[in-house]
Amino acid sequence: MRFFIRRVAFYIVTAWAAVTLNFFIPRMMPGDPVQALIARYQGQISVDAVNSLRKLFGMDAHESLWQQYIDYWVKLFHGNLGVSLQSFPTPVSQIISQSLPWTIGLVGLATIIAFVVGTVIGIILGWRRGTKWDALIPITTFFSSVPYFWIGLMAIAIFATVLQWFPQGGSYSVDSLPGLNWAFMSSVFYYGFLPALTIVLSSMAGWILGMRNMMVTVSSEDYVTVAHAKGLRESVVMFRYASRNAILPQISGFALSLGFVVSGTLVMEQVFNYQGIGYRLLQATNNHDYPLMQGIFLVITLSVLIANVVADIIYAFLDPRTRKEG
């Protein structure tokens, strides 16, 4: 119990530090978001509205920095992340809620597929080392070392430009009406196939190599030798004895990768013009939309922290040695 209490306390402090940094960093960046908004809507927003806009964005000159910090926390507890500059007056929470499902659906599903397939292949490669299966190792090493945006560009060049099997970018066809209907869902799957394939190919290689190396390590352990001596089938020894212990680092890594799903793959979404959270973050950066950047960073940070908590809990249950007091 003390282990879990210490971990929860650590992550609470980490979350407070992340939120605090998220408050101060935009205020230390060069530029004035209010003046940028007025310049963008030149002639449409009165200069007299500067004070009202500053208060709206939590930068009231008549309030101390400490009071702004307190107000920021109060807004967070009410789910208020501010108002976007580039989509003024749309709330930041609305933009994030519209973009987040696209990223979670695409990157999340691709991450799960890559983990499952990569782990199974890694188990086989590690168990059958020294056989013809080792021919797959150079291939996996190649994909793990190549930047995933390069794989995306090659996928577009081959499957979209030359073969014309898939579209070059976008999230769904402009001819389909968004909703829970077959035409729209099939369009989403069709447009998301190449981005998902890019993520699976680039991340699966890491899971394969990681699992293979762990399988090679545990194959010489005493409990594996005893299982062989009992006359158990090879498949039973491989999956119930060797892989069960070798998969522990994979589980914790998988939990962390799920936390990073929320951040999306910025370059991939940019390459495929996919309307996920990474693409929104890039737009916010280019347009100096500090409130939107602030909101996206906060969501990403909290998601990673939650994933760390889940990873610690899962690992503690799988391996009781981690719960021992130092």
Side-chain angles (χ1 to χ4, degrees), residues 14 52 61 76 215:
T14 305
S52 299
L76 285 184
M215 284 293 293

Side-chain angles (χ1 to χ4, degrees), residues 80-113:
N80 184 2
L81 299 178
V83 179
S84 171
L85 285 172
Q86 68 182 54
S87 303
F88 184 82
T90 306
V92 169
S93 57
Q94 181 178 336
I95 297 177
I96 293 178
S97 64
Q98 291 173 349
S99 304
L100 204 54
W102 292 94
T103 294
I104 294 177
L106 175 67
V107 185
L109 183 60
T111 300
I112 294 173
I113 294 174

Side-chain angles (χ1 to χ4, degrees), residues 130-151:
T131 63
K132 61 181 180 179
W133 290 94
D134 286 344
L136 292 175
I137 297 177
I139 300 176
T140 56
T141 304
F142 170 78
F143 279 107
S144 65
S145 59
V146 172
Y148 61 85
F149 68 85
W150 183 86
I151 300 178

Side-chain angles (χ1 to χ4, degrees), residues 146-222:
V146 172
Y148 61 85
F149 68 85
W150 183 86
I151 300 178
L153 292 175
M154 291 301 297
I156 292 176
I158 297 173
F159 296 106
T161 304
V162 178
L163 299 177
Q164 297 183 355
W165 289 353
F166 297 96
Q168 295 184 3
S171 305
Y172 58 91
S173 174
V174 294
D175 299 328
S176 59
L177 183 64
L180 295 177
N181 55 79
W182 172 248
F184 177 71
M185 298 301 293
S186 60
S187 177
V188 170
F189 177 81
Y190 178 59
Y191 275 74
F193 183 83
L194 279 187
L197 180 64
T198 300
I199 299 172
V200 170
L201 288 178
S202 59
S203 57
M204 184 175 64
W207 297 120
I208 293 175
L209 294 175
M211 192 64 193
R212 178 192 179 276
N213 293 337
M214 288 303 302
M215 284 293 293
V216 171
T217 301
V218 302
S219 294
S220 59
E221 295 291 338
D222 293 339

Side-chain angles (χ1 to χ4, degrees), residues 67 70 77 144 179 187 192 194 198 219 226 228 230 238 260 265 280 319:
Q67 185 60 47
I70 298 298
F77 280 117
S144 65
S187 177
L194 279 187
T198 300
S219 294
V226 172
H228 278 298
K230 289 180 178 180
M238 179 172 61
F260 285 101
T265 50
R280 293 293 186 187
D319 189 357

